[in-house]
Amino acid sequence: MRLIHRVADLRAALAGQHHTAFVPTMGNLHSGHISLIELARRTGPPTAGPIVASIFVNPLQFGAGEDFNRYPRTLDADCAQLAAAGCDIVFAPDAAEMYPEPQTFSVQPPLADELCGQFRPGHFQGVATVVLKLFNMVQPRYAAFGKKDYQQLFILKAMVRQLNLPIVMLEGETGRAEDGLALSSRNGYLSAEERAEAPRLYRLLRVAAQQVASGVIDLADIEAGVADELTRHGWRVDYIAPRSRSTLLAPTPEERDLVLLAAAHLGRTRLIDNIECRRQALKVP
Ligand code: PAF
């Protein structure tokens, strides 16, 4: 496995490759990231090209007062995991390589002010801009992203479609700890007490998804019920939102394929999670 820091060296290493598979990350890797490497490897054709992972903590996607400075940087450990998973190239540029001049062009994605965007202004603009730059640097045929960042994945798929990028998007299921907590680099911020409390978020989403599927509850009651329960246990809720899977907007009464999205703070740590569910058909009187 090669570790490359400069765009020119990356381009030289990938010259003539048409089936590169790409896994963009911010590092501090866990088994959820590694499962994306495996997904990329499984998906390539028999003549599969190289697998490239990037590691870059992107300042553009962090707001003032967010965790950019304390975000864990663990390049050596990340490289060891990537090598063991069969990654061919790690691209780890520094900020000057990624942004050699002020980034005055940016991608303005749809839904950028919705859900997480409402609480993290500029976040999805920063994500879409860096991912488009990374796509232009790596020129992958396949790119893998996890469904834990559901809104990010939705926005990036729209970017690929609407900007005609010749990239097949691969979607990895959310990796979870045994108690259900979605794997995230930010879980490392949790105290022991918070870590014990954290699985409540997914537990409540699962119950809510079952209620949606069996049609026993109104969607507004789901939002209020999950939010109240979290608040009672010391969380600060940003949102609990049932959305249409096809638009990520509030579902019309006819829409049945839904996703319940959630973001809430436990102490100083902001956790997100989601669960897909299928609403029972409305009974026509
Ligand atoms: O999901 C992440 O780790 C980041 O948002 C990404 C896609 C690598 C862009 O910085």
Side-chain angles (χ1 to χ4, degrees):
M1 188 184 77
R2 282 185 65 189
L3 172 60
I4 294 179
H5 297 287
R6 307 200 72 91
V7 179
D9 297 337
L10 180 73
R11 287 197 197 284
L14 293 174
Q17 297 286 355
H18 299 294
H19 291 104
T20 301
F22 179 40
V23 181
T25 82
M26 297 204 300
N28 193 236
L29 304 183
H30 49 67
S31 58
H33 295 110
I34 299 306
S35 71
L36 295 178
I37 301 282
E38 282 153 10
L39 175 64
R41 209 180 33 218
R42 280 199 309 276
T43 312
T47 54
I51 299 181
V52 178
S54 64
I55 296 179
F56 179 64
V57 185
N58 172 33
L60 280 195
Q61 69 188 74
F62 289 79
E66 290 191 345
D67 56 343
F68 174 71
N69 287 329
R70 68 175 178 137
Y71 199 90
R73 280 128 172 117
T74 51
L75 184 61
D76 291 347
D78 293 343
C79 286
Q81 286 194 67
L82 289 168
C87 180
D88 298 294
I89 294 177
V90 179
F91 176 51
D94 64 13
E97 185 70 6
M98 186 59 80
Y99 300 115
E101 58 184 282
Q103 186 69 33
T104 49
F105 278 95
S106 63
V107 179
Q108 183 56 51
L111 296 168
D113 300 327
E114 288 280 317
L115 300 167
C116 281
Q118 193 188 336
F119 298 89
R120 304 188 68 189
H123 170 69
F124 289 112
Q125 188 174 333
V127 169
T129 301
V130 80
V131 171
L132 183 59
K133 283 168 73 84
L134 288 165
F135 281 172
N136 285 329
M137 292 166 183
V138 177
Q139 305 203 349
R141 178 70 189 117
Y142 305 96
F145 295 86
K147 282 166 85 168
K148 188 193 137 247
D149 295 295
Y150 205 92
Q151 185 177 9
Q152 167 174 284
L153 176 61
F154 186 95
I155 285 173
L156 294 176
K157 285 197 299 189
M159 180 174 84
V160 164
R161 283 194 315 274
Q162 294 185 20
L163 299 184
N164 300 84
L165 305 179
I167 296 171
V168 178
M169 294 288 275
L170 309 176
E171 305 181 19
E173 293 302 324
T174 302
R176 295 190 180 278
E178 273 186 13
D179 57 12
L181 178 65
L183 299 180
S184 163
S185 303
R186 292 190 166 97
N187 292 350
Y189 300 155
L190 297 168
S191 68
E193 202 184 323
E194 289 164 350
R195 175 62 188 81
E197 168 62 22
R200 187 180 307 280
L201 180 59
Y202 186 57
R203 274 206 306 276
L204 290 172
L205 288 180
R206 280 181 57 185
V207 172
Q210 281 157 10
Q211 291 171 328
V212 171
S214 55
V216 298
I217 193 163
D218 194 74
L219 292 183
D221 292 340
I222 295 269
E223 290 182 49
V226 174
D228 285 355
E229 195 61 14
L230 289 172
T231 307
R232 258 180 3 97
H233 287 89
W235 297 65
R236 183 163 58 81
V237 176
D238 277 354
Y239 64 84
I240 308 293
R243 292 288 166 111
S244 152
R245 262 188 259 170
S246 60
T247 62
L248 228 55
L249 297 172
T252 64
E254 294 75 34
E255 277 177 308
R256 294 175 60 193
D257 289 328
L258 308 186
V259 55
L260 308 181
L261 299 136
H265 301 253
L266 198 48
R268 291 174 65 210
T269 309
R270 185 176 189 272
L271 298 176
I272 60 171
D273 208 340
N274 65 78
I275 188 166
E276 292 178 334
C277 55
R278 187 162 165 81
R279 178 159 56 173
Q280 208 179 56
L282 292 179
K283 293 190 181 62
V284 182

